[in-house]
Amino acid sequence: MAFLSRLFKRGDPLAEREEARRRGMRDARRHPLGEFTDPEFQPAFVTEVRALAREQITEVDRRLAARRTALLERALGAREVILRELGRSDARPEHPEHVNGHAPPPAEPGPGAQDPFISIAEARARRVEARRRAVVEETNANLQRARARIEHLTQEWESALIERDHEVEAVHARAEQLIAAYKGGVLQAHPRREDIPSLWKGEVIAMDSTGDTPVAVSGREEIGRILREVEDR
């Protein structure tokens, strides 16, 4: 495993495959015949490559889980904004029959009627209504931004799932390339290459898409639930 860790740190795919090929040639000369010809057995190098790939995929999934937690926290923050805005008392119209102890303003004068002055109560009521309308506009803008934020977080989660699958595919490809290069070296140096099985036993790790995994489903459901909740309100 230490050999593979040093090999992977180089970050040069061609150099990695060449080193794996040389390792295969060296092992073919040094190790027992059964290590390469028994289909129920796999060389230590292959085991190490697959184990390291599993570790890398586990780390990818750990980052995905952390991303899910962060997105949910942001979605819950947007939800709190929506609940706070919906609960603002200054956005509600005052009771038409009682405005702070004052009688309601008189009705608007009809066509041709004289309106020489506006009463103090009516002027106050108009100022209160103007402030309320400004608050309503601000509240609506905040609600729209918070809802759009939750929708964007939903898209971010779907993108995170796609990115995870791409990362896992890259780990698989790298592992299989190294195994193929190693096997090429074994076949190049082994005197009985025809006895070496086409595939060694074992897999790197299941290559299932994240779309239906518990992490994916729970993340999608949680953010979707928050979005539905705010829409219902």
Side-chain angles (χ1 to χ4, degrees), residues 96-190:
E97 296 180 356
H98 194 274
V99 181
N100 225 15
H102 297 278
E108 292 291 334
Q114 297 285 328
D115 186 19
F117 67 93
I118 299 175
S119 68
I120 294 176
E122 184 178 356
R124 177 191 172 280
R126 291 184 180 184
R127 289 195 300 271
V128 169
E129 179 61 17
R131 286 196 297 270
R132 188 190 72 81
R133 289 177 179 175
V135 170
V136 169
E137 290 180 2
E138 178 187 1
T139 295
N140 288 337
N142 290 339
L143 289 173
Q144 290 176 6
R145 283 194 293 269
R147 185 184 184 283
R149 194 173 304 128
I150 295 175
E151 290 179 342
H152 179 72
L153 293 173
T154 301
Q155 296 171 0
E156 276 196 50
W157 178 242
E158 296 300 327
S159 297
L161 296 178
I162 294 172
E163 290 172 10
R164 183 270 180 191
D165 285 348
H166 288 169
E167 288 189 67
V168 171
E169 289 172 2
V171 170
H172 268 265
R174 189 181 194 185
E176 296 303 339
Q177 287 171 358
L178 286 177
I179 292 173
Y182 176 84
K183 184 174 182 179
V186 172
L187 293 174
Q188 187 175 345
H190 205 292

Side-chain angles (χ1 to χ4, degrees), residues 15-91:
E16 289 176 1
R17 292 197 293 271
E18 177 59 23
E19 188 63 32
R21 188 188 67 82
R22 292 176 182 172
R23 170 75 177 268
M25 294 178 64
R26 183 169 63 250
D27 287 355
R29 298 189 185 101
R30 296 178 178 177
H31 291 222
L33 178 66
E35 185 168 332
F36 305 102
T37 58
D38 184 354
E40 296 301 310
F41 187 81
Q42 64 181 11
F45 179 84
V46 176
T47 301
E48 292 170 4
V49 167
R50 288 172 171 159
L52 186 58
R54 285 193 293 272
E55 289 181 8
Q56 292 175 330
I57 293 172
T58 298
E59 173 60 22
V60 170
D61 287 337
R62 187 197 63 77
R63 293 198 302 269
L64 179 67
R67 183 84 173 272
R68 169 184 174 274
T69 299
L71 291 178
L72 283 176
E73 288 177 355
R74 290 164 59 189
L76 289 172
R79 171 183 173 274
E80 290 304 313
V81 170
I82 290 173
L83 295 179
R84 183 175 65 247
E85 292 297 329
L86 290 176
R88 291 185 64 167
S89 59
D90 53 354

